[in-house]
Amino acid sequence: MNTDPVSGYQTYEPPTRPDRTARNRTAARRTALTISTIGDIAAGLLGLWILLYLLDANQGNTFVEFVHGSADWLSGWAQDIFTMDTEGLRVVLNYGLPAVVYLALGHGIAARINRA
């Protein structure tokens, strides 16, 4: 008995599914990118507040109020770790430390996820 397809007809091949490990790697990369981006945004807001404070920005401006409120919320755990007489140095240290921590954590976790 001949089981070969009749000449001129195409053989049926089931559609190929993407490799599950490739999908998992893509999902891991997206997750790592999201975590890294969140850390970058947090550090950026803190750095922006430091810059606005040092440049003596108008505290009554809506944008400055938003940035200050966000920076206060993000650095709530680190408020008044450093108590200096110089106000500018105190702001740089009390908001700069959380910025560095968010950058380090965000990129560290992202690197760990990408390696897994």
Side-chain angles (χ1 to χ4, degrees), residues 31-41 102-103 105-107 109-111:
T31 302
L33 180 62
T34 301
I35 291 170
S36 177
T37 301
I38 290 170
D40 290 345
I41 291 170
Y102 288 129
L103 278 176
L105 279 175
H107 287 270
I109 292 169

Side-chain angles (χ1 to χ4, degrees), residues 69-81:
S70 300
D72 277 345
W73 184 78
L74 288 168
S75 66
W77 58 270
Q79 286 299 314
D80 297 327
I81 287 180

Side-chain angles (χ1 to χ4, degrees), residues 3-108:
T3 59
D4 291 336
V6 179
S7 64
Y9 288 97
Q10 294 179 340
T11 60
Y12 173 76
E13 293 183 23
T16 58
R17 295 183 60 168
D19 186 17
R20 186 173 294 274
T21 58
R23 281 190 303 188
N24 288 344
R25 273 185 268 131
T26 301
R29 273 188 262 126
R30 286 182 181 159
T31 302
L33 180 62
T34 301
I35 291 170
S36 177
T37 301
I38 290 170
D40 290 345
I41 291 170
L45 280 169
L46 290 164
L48 183 58
W49 169 244
I50 293 170
L51 183 66
L52 289 172
Y53 182 84
L54 292 177
L55 294 175
D56 200 26
N58 178 8
Q59 301 283 328
N61 181 285
T62 306
F63 176 72
V64 176
E65 286 178 358
F66 169 76
V67 172
H68 186 205
S70 300
D72 277 345
W73 184 78
L74 288 168
S75 66
W77 58 270
Q79 286 299 314
D80 297 327
I81 287 180
F82 302 101
T83 54
M84 315 297 201
D85 290 335
T86 309
E87 186 68 18
L89 182 60
R90 187 185 63 76
V91 168
V92 168
L93 291 175
N94 283 324
Y95 290 93
L97 174 66
V100 171
V101 169
Y102 288 129
L103 278 176
L105 279 175
H107 287 270

